[in-house]
Amino acid sequence: MNIRISIIGHPACRRYRKMRQRTLDAVESVNTECALEEINDTARLSAYNPLSLPLLLINGVPVASQNPPRTEEIAKWLQQKAP
């Protein structure tokens, strides 16, 4: 897998669901191999500031927090990270 994507937040959160869907759409549009990890269990979420969730990481680097970015922005970030 070339790109690691992590989405951190709770699945019941509207913003989390929107961020997840937009990320999946962006991955599909750029046609790049990506490994998607969803961190949403309470024990692991407690390590993060709840005010910064949901959180989107690409290769371990935070790229979006709280408000889901547009699909086009995520696709652009993925293209920049692709080898």
Side-chain angles (χ1 to χ4, degrees), residues 56-71:
L56 176 65
L57 307 172
I58 298 178
N59 288 339
V61 178
V63 294
S65 174
Q66 296 178 325
N67 295 320
R70 293 188 336 264
T71 303

Side-chain angles (χ1 to χ4, degrees), residues 6-73:
S6 300
I7 303 174
I8 303 162
H10 197 278
C13 173
R14 178 183 54 84
R15 288 180 178 177
Y16 174 88
R17 290 191 310 263
K18 189 177 282 191
M19 186 178 285
R20 181 182 183 279
Q21 186 58 52
R22 288 180 181 179
T23 301
L24 292 173
D25 292 344
V27 167
E28 187 176 314
S29 73
V30 296
N31 254 349
T32 306
E33 275 192 55
C34 297
L36 178 63
E37 174 187 28
E38 295 184 61
I39 299 172
N40 51 29
D41 59 280
T42 307
R44 291 179 70 188
L45 286 178
S46 64
Y48 297 92
N49 179 354
L51 298 177
S52 67
L53 299 178
L55 183 62
L56 176 65
L57 307 172
I58 298 178
N59 288 339
V61 178
V63 294
S65 174
Q66 296 178 325
N67 295 320
R70 293 188 336 264
T71 303
E72 296 80 21
E73 289 178 290

